[in-house]
Amino acid sequence: MKSPEILIVGAGVIGLSCALRLGQRGRRVRVLERGECGRESSWAGAGIIEYGSLARLDPLAQLRRASCELYPAFIAEIQAASGVDPELDREGTIDLITDANQAKAADRELGALKSRFSNRGPLIERLTQGGLRRVAPAISDAFDDALWLRADVTVRNPRIMRALRGACEAAGVEIVEQSPVSSVLRDGDRVVGLQLADRVERGEQYLISGGSWSSQLDPEFERLLPVHPVRGQIILLEERRQLLRHVVRHGRMYLVPRRDGRMLLGSTEEHDAGFEKRTTLGAAARLMPIAERVVPSLRDATIVTTWAGLRPGSKDGKPYLGPIPGFGGAWAATGHYRSGLTLAPITAELIAAAMTGGTPRFDLAPFAPGRRFGPPDEGDTGEIAP
Ligand SMILES: Cc1cc2nc3c(=O)[nH]c(=O)nc-3n(C[C@H](O)[C@H](O)[C@H](O)COP(=O)(O)OP(=O)(O)OC[C@H]3O[C@@H](n4cnc5c(N)ncnc54)[C@H](O)[C@@H]3O)c2cc1C
């Protein structure tokens, strides 16, 4: 490649999705990846593309819905370009209702469906005992109320990452692995290069999409785009019978069936584990009994393996999208926390528009790096402890 116009730090789902859209806009794009392409959080996640609450109107909820609307076409596009099938499944999520607060929230969702989304086709449905048995007979009959989130889809993480890589290469994007960037070089308030161990890489514009490690690239990023790792552990199960077709959620615990009979059991949210991608006995001891209570036949399932990944957490639950103040020519697309897979298509569309002088169709101000931080929009407090 001739010298790149745009240098991207990080080949996760966010860096690669942005690279794809920028490459398609005719820009010469090089992605610098510290390790192997797509092997961090984007590989470790559960692959639930979550439409989210219909009752919420805040900017993040709107972005999430817009991204979900883009998903089927996005997957079809990268599958056609790469020949890799990311296994998009459209069965939706069965969210078990286990207390009065959840029942009230379900009523609000159904109210929002009627008042604002009546033209959208099937989005959510209340399932009481008979309906729940019919749709998901493997769920214990101790549960008799659920919301079926029909707009949720799932993809298989390693496959979407391979498909994205193939699509990027087809669009002329250059991906350079084993290339850790150690810092951002500035002359005054303009970025003039990226420092690597053995060289400096220069472009006209820069995009920081290094997931949980993004704020390590410059001391000022701790203030402008503070990202902290939130560890999530997953247990991979295998069962001879196909017990579930849908994602099933009980509070923070979820089961995600895959086409080959395997099933993910997730996940913890650990804010104090730092950068240690370990799996722990404590996490398994919390997750497994809930899974067995929800789907009793899982007691015979085989534990295939466990893994952990680091979600890029932000201060207020919203990603950082936009120009980085005081770092002219540099942009951020990071801090997507629990929803990076879900938000990848819309992130890529908005960032590519903004970086090429267009007008993004959503206002990026609520996501601006260096913004004043309010409380999280998503109320992410209930956790499964490690
Ligand atoms: C257990 C778990 C379950 C999840 N489930 C879901 C889900 O169901 N749905 C959903 O939407 N999201 C889910 N997520 C969240 C989602 O995985 C993340 O939000 C998303 O992967 C973030 O993508 P990213 O590209 O920003 O980060 P990453 O995938 O972590 O990619 C960042 C990349 O940057 C590279 N990098 C970092 N620093 C440097 C450097 N200095 N130089 C060069 N390269 C660098 C890293 O090596 C890495 O490859 C889950 C996450 C976990 C851990």
Side-chain angles (χ1 to χ4, degrees):
M1 182 192 266
K2 288 203 302 193
S3 60
E5 292 163 302
I6 298 178
L7 287 171
I8 297 183
V9 181
V13 71
I14 298 299
L16 289 190
S17 301
C18 294
L20 175 63
R21 291 293 180 245
L22 287 161
Q24 288 170 334
R25 284 175 177 245
R27 297 301 191 273
R28 291 191 305 278
V29 180
R30 178 176 295 162
V31 184
L32 299 169
E33 166 54 47
R34 192 187 49 181
E36 263 179 67
C37 188
R39 290 290 298 183
E40 290 291 349
S41 190
S42 304
W43 178 90
I48 308 167
I49 308 307
E50 218 181 310
Y51 202 78
S53 164
L54 304 182
R56 285 182 39 184
L57 298 171
D58 56 87
L60 181 56
Q62 291 180 34
L63 225 57
R64 177 190 287 284
R65 289 195 283 269
S67 207
C68 288
E69 300 289 353
L70 295 173
Y71 236 88
F74 178 66
I75 293 295
E77 176 195 338
I78 61 175
Q79 179 172 353
S82 66
V84 179
D85 177 4
E87 296 191 0
L88 178 90
D89 282 335
R90 299 167 181 263
E91 303 287 350
T93 299
I94 295 179
D95 193 11
L96 296 170
I97 297 173
T98 56
D99 63 33
N101 283 340
Q102 267 188 302
K104 263 194 219 144
D107 290 340
R108 278 199 300 276
E109 291 299 309
L110 289 161
L113 175 72
K114 248 196 218 146
S115 59
R116 288 203 295 271
F117 294 89
S118 50
N119 298 329
R120 165 59 178 72
L123 279 175
I124 53 174
E125 201 176 304
R126 191 82 174 252
L127 296 173
T128 46
Q129 206 164 30
L132 195 50
R133 294 293 85 75
R134 180 176 46 78
V135 172
I139 294 178
S140 158
D141 51 19
F143 299 93
D144 58 6
D145 195 4
L147 210 52
W148 184 7
L149 310 172
R150 301 190 62 168
D152 286 7
V153 302
T154 57
V155 290
R156 203 152 175 170
N157 296 49
R159 289 179 157 268
I160 193 177
M161 293 314 297
R162 274 177 30 224
L164 253 177
R165 180 185 191 145
C168 279
E169 287 168 350
V173 170
E174 189 186 7
I175 300 169
V176 189
E177 296 180 307
Q178 311 303 335
S179 297
V181 176
S182 52
S183 61
V184 171
L185 301 173
R186 261 193 305 174
D187 182 4
D189 61 4
R190 276 215 72 76
V191 173
V192 293
L194 298 175
Q195 181 70 57
L196 284 81
D198 56 349
R199 63 189 189 279
V200 171
E201 293 257 358
R202 295 186 197 280
E204 291 158 26
Q205 286 177 295
Y206 303 85
L207 178 66
I208 307 302
S209 51
S212 290
W213 299 267
S214 297
S215 42
Q216 295 177 349
L217 288 165
D218 190 278
E220 285 200 46
F221 287 2
E222 291 289 347
R223 176 177 59 81
L224 295 170
L225 37 132
V227 184
H228 64 279
V230 183
R231 185 166 73 189
Q233 301 187 43
I234 286 196
I235 301 169
L236 180 66
L237 304 173
E238 190 164 49
E239 236 285 336
R240 272 169 291 124
R241 296 156 295 168
Q242 181 85 37
L243 290 174
L244 296 175
R245 285 189 295 123
H246 314 80
V247 175
V248 176
R249 205 161 65 195
H250 178 291
R252 288 292 160 132
M253 189 280 307
Y254 50 74
L255 291 160
V256 185
R258 297 302 197 204
R259 288 184 194 174
D260 59 5
R262 293 184 165 193
M263 197 184 291
L264 305 187
L265 164 58
S267 171
T268 57
E269 285 201 34
E270 303 168 58
H271 290 261
D272 302 321
F275 288 91
E276 276 191 38
K277 286 186 291 174
R278 284 190 304 122
T279 56
T280 61
L281 184 72
R286 294 295 297 262
L287 289 168
M288 291 205 271
I290 311 176
E292 192 185 330
R293 207 161 358 113
V294 171
V295 179
S297 330
L298 276 177
R299 126 174 10 106
D300 293 326
T302 305
I303 299 172
V304 180
T305 186
T306 61
W307 66 76
L310 303 175
R311 302 175 182 92
S314 74
K315 276 251 184 201
D316 53 7
K318 293 201 285 284
Y320 307 111
L321 308 174
I324 307 176
F327 288 75
W331 298 69
T334 189
H336 289 73
Y337 191 27
R338 299 173 56 225
S339 306
L341 262 277
T342 304
L343 294 171
I346 192 73
T347 297
E349 179 199 304
L350 300 176
I351 288 289
M355 285 183 76
T356 54
T359 308
R361 68 170 150 132
F362 284 94
D363 179 15
L364 292 182
F367 307 101
R371 63 183 176 263
R372 284 164 65 94
F373 297 110
D377 280 337
E378 302 236 329
D380 273 319
T381 48
E383 298 178 0
I384 291 179

